[in-house]
Amino acid sequence: MVQRLRTIACIAVLFGGNAFTCRELFHAGFIHTMGSAEGAYIAMIRYASENWRDLAWFPLWFSGMPWNNVYQPAFPLIGASLVGLLGVSPAVAYHAVTAVAYCAVPATVFLLCYGFTRSRAYGMTVGLLYSSFSPSVILPGIRHDMGSVFDPRRYQGAVHYGEGPHTAVLAMLPVAILWLHRAVSDRRPLYWVLAPFSIAAILLTNWPGSVGLLLAIGAYACAMLASRSPIHWPAFAAVLAIAYGLAYPWIPPSTLKSVITASQYANGAFPFSVRHVFFVLGLVLVLAFALWIFRRSPISKFGAFSLLFLGFTSVIPVTNELTGFALLPQPHRFHLEMEIAILIAVCYLLWHASAAWPAASKRFLFGGLIVFSAVQIWRFRKYAIDSLKPLDIQGTSEYKVADWFQRHMPGLRVFVPGSDSIWINVFTDTPQIGGCCDQGVSNFQSRIALHVVYTGQNAGASDAQISVLWLKAFGAHAVAVSGPRSTEPFKPFAHPHKFDGVLTELWRDEDDTIYQVPNRTGSLAHVINRDDAVSSAPAHGLDVGPLLPYVSALDDERLPPAQFKWTSRHSTRITAPLSSNQLVSVQISYDPHWRAIVNRSPRRIRSDALGLMLIEPECGGSCLIELDYDLGEEMVVTRAVQIASFIALLIGVLVFRQTQVQPSS
């Protein structure tokens, strides 16, 4: 009992020290972080809290997308639960969950170290250093961004860059590895349950963090091989399979395929190439040599894990920093996992090197660490106070633009720039051509549209006209532009005045302007002739030839208008008078799970070359088209896999109760 109380005290000290640093974050509303991604997560929390019974389709971003593709659901749903249970705002809910995760990371890192080594001194050393120092300063780019080697990078990432979900994964990852180890080495029923649930929770929280988890699991498996440690490999495989099975309904293979494809062009271009193949082959050879060395040395399994985890997590950001080569998309984000690995590995080596030192020397060094940590935590506290000052949200460009659209164009799709696109759906349900979280976007043509409108690259004098064609093709009724003097931080328009004299100005506030995009109707559904459909994908953003017949049809007064109405978040009702050979174009991103019923008969839906829906009604006269996003067979399969995973989990508990072995460290 005394030993357990000491362990709890260590956890409390680490959690409490970090809570002291960021205590305002637990109840913070809007703060001065409009340039971060947190607006997107707050928008998801708001949307989930208001539509928790209807989370199949998300109509607000990128002309609509499956909810599963928007982002992993765990973090938004936890935030939405706080909104519902406590009555707090989505912004407060986001910051509260982020604050808990931020404070928990050092505590769970301590548990990982203590769980493997049974040394509280070692675990506390890692936990205190992690709470008070950011070892990623070894990277020049990170060091420059921090401003000082003694500033809190982890806090900066969580608060200034909106890495709340990623921070939540950092909090779960250490215990997931510890519980995985207990499950496959000791085969205790409790850990057999905790391990797959913790791994599934990570998979449902953040994509970079999920990759970090895979790196940690890979390091653990290699460490067990290198140290010849007894491990039940069938149980290891079963834990991983069950974990994915538990998460399967929210990240089925279709979602993984979209993420893997789209992430190569998220926040930059990171296409996979032959260079990646050769680089990975080189890394495999280095890994094989390292394992050969480890197997011939007396290194412990945790020592091998710590070094391998350091190697696996550092190679991505370090390679990108030194050579500019991205081994994985968004390589800079993995420095957060690298920080944990650096401290675990370095402190482990020092812990072993100091084994023969006099006790007085160890106490002196540990006392110095406590003093250093106290000074740094106080410094971090001052940093946090400066960053958590309340913000008058109504005075921001993001709020003003959102408010104008809500009052003057409710429900109409628009194009808004930069941080406006991240924050607009915190305040409204205004749908966008763009949005957030590019790694889940399955309609690549919408990404081309954004690039063209923002950059006008090589368009010359036709910049505005080409941009208007793309805006009309994707159903935008207005475009907001942030000029050089706007408070919108990104200012992504290369030519912010290109619409002057081309489009009607609707609103201007300082250097933020909203222009009207001319449309014949406010509908997202349009009757077109077969020859008007976009049949070939534009080769690039300036190749607007395939768009011209379609955009002309949208403005053709001779074609009958189609009435469009959302009947739920995942279903619509369209009415239109049609000729038997006409089509209905719906400016919603195509997905194979959409179903069309025309006058009570099923009809075919296909994608046009812009990735939008095209319906063949086969209907003459007055036609009623009902669209429904129905996961159908895929939902049955995913639920069956999840149920099978639960059954496998139960069987494992029963089996391991009979075969439980003595605990190992």
Side-chain angles (χ1 to χ4, degrees), residues 277-364:
V277 176
F278 287 109
F279 199 95
V280 170
L281 289 175
L283 291 178
V284 170
L285 292 176
V286 172
L287 175 61
F289 179 72
L291 295 182
W292 182 80
I293 295 293
F294 286 161
R295 290 179 70 89
R296 285 157 178 77
S297 67
I299 191 169
S300 70
K301 56 191 172 187
F302 187 70
F305 166 75
S306 65
L307 294 175
L308 288 168
F309 186 40
L310 173 59
F312 283 17
T313 56
S314 63
V315 68
I316 301 169
V318 170
T319 299
N320 181 66
E321 182 82 21
L322 298 180
T323 69
F325 177 64
L327 188 58
L328 289 175
Q330 303 180 54
H332 59 284
R333 297 181 69 181
F334 294 97
H335 76 278
L336 295 175
E337 283 80 7
M338 183 187 73
E339 287 201 336
I340 296 176
I342 289 175
L343 291 176
I344 288 176
V346 171
C347 291
Y348 183 84
L349 295 176
L350 292 176
W351 177 54
H352 269 279
S354 64
W357 293 3
S361 299
K362 295 180 183 179
R363 286 194 292 270
F364 176 79

Side-chain angles (χ1 to χ4, degrees), residues 24 31 78 106 157 185 189 197 212 277 370 460 501 503 545 566 604 606 624:
E24 288 86 1
I31 56 179
I78 292 172
S185 60
F197 270 101
V277 176
I370 292 175
L503 297 179
W566 288 101
R604 180 190 178 201
R606 58 186 172 91
L624 170 63

Side-chain angles (χ1 to χ4, degrees), residues 563-641:
Q563 303 298 318
F564 176 96
K565 181 181 179 181
W566 288 101
T567 54
S568 72
R569 291 298 191 180
H570 68 280
S571 60
T572 74
R573 179 186 178 98
I574 302 169
T575 56
L578 295 170
S579 298
S580 57
N581 64 337
Q582 289 180 320
L583 306 177
V584 174
S585 168
V586 184
Q587 292 166 312
I588 297 175
S589 293
Y590 170 79
D591 187 274
H593 293 105
W594 279 101
R595 303 287 182 264
I597 302 295
V598 180
N599 290 349
R600 300 185 179 182
S601 298
R603 290 292 184 266
R604 180 190 178 201
I605 303 178
R606 58 186 172 91
S607 173
D608 68 10
L610 290 181
L612 304 176
M613 286 198 289
L614 199 60
I615 304 171
E616 300 186 14
E618 300 176 16
C619 171
S622 179
C623 300
L624 170 63
I625 303 172
E626 296 171 290
L627 293 177
D628 184 67
Y629 184 75
D630 180 13
L631 292 174
E633 294 180 359
E634 181 174 290
M635 179 61 73
V636 173
V637 172
T638 58
R639 293 303 182 192
V641 171

Side-chain angles (χ1 to χ4, degrees), residues 184-244:
V184 301
S185 60
D186 303 341
R187 300 198 291 282
R188 289 187 174 187
L190 173 63
Y191 296 115
W192 173 254
V193 174
L194 291 176
F197 270 101
S198 61
I199 293 172
I202 290 174
L203 296 177
L204 293 175
T205 301
N206 174 260
W207 289 121
S210 296
V211 175
L213 169 69
L214 296 179
L215 296 175
I217 291 174
Y220 171 79
C222 291
M224 296 302 104
L225 287 171
S227 60
R228 294 188 174 91
S229 297
I231 182 173
H232 196 274
W233 289 105
F236 178 83
V239 168
L240 300 186
I242 291 172
Y244 180 58

Side-chain angles (χ1 to χ4, degrees), residues 47 51 53-58 65-69 569-570 629-631 635:
Y47 184 87
N51 302 278
R53 292 185 176 182
D54 194 354
L55 292 177
W57 183 259
F58 187 72
M65 57 198 303
W67 172 255
N68 288 346
N69 285 29
R569 291 298 191 180
H570 68 280
Y629 184 75
D630 180 13
L631 292 174
M635 179 61 73

Side-chain angles (χ1 to χ4, degrees), residues 318-436:
V318 170
T319 299
N320 181 66
E321 182 82 21
L322 298 180
T323 69
F325 177 64
L327 188 58
L328 289 175
Q330 303 180 54
H332 59 284
R333 297 181 69 181
F334 294 97
H335 76 278
L336 295 175
E337 283 80 7
M338 183 187 73
E339 287 201 336
I340 296 176
I342 289 175
L343 291 176
I344 288 176
V346 171
C347 291
Y348 183 84
L349 295 176
L350 292 176
W351 177 54
H352 269 279
S354 64
W357 293 3
S361 299
K362 295 180 183 179
R363 286 194 292 270
F364 176 79
L365 289 175
F366 193 75
L369 172 61
I370 292 175
V371 172
F372 172 79
S373 299
V375 172
Q376 278 293 96
I377 288 175
W378 184 256
R379 178 187 177 94
F380 286 8
R381 169 72 186 144
K382 293 172 64 178
Y383 184 99
I385 291 173
D386 291 339
S387 66
L388 291 175
K389 293 177 180 178
L391 173 70
D392 176 16
I393 191 66
Q394 295 186 7
T396 63
S397 164
E398 293 80 2
Y399 179 85
K400 292 177 182 178
V401 169
D403 180 64
W404 192 92
F405 280 125
Q406 177 67 16
R407 289 186 290 109
H408 296 91
M409 290 186 166
L412 294 182
R413 185 177 294 160
V414 300
F415 184 104
V416 290
S419 66
D420 289 350
S421 70
I422 294 173
W423 286 90
I424 186 172
N425 296 123
V426 171
F427 314 110
T428 76
D429 279 337
T430 301
Q432 308 180 57
I433 290 181
C436 178

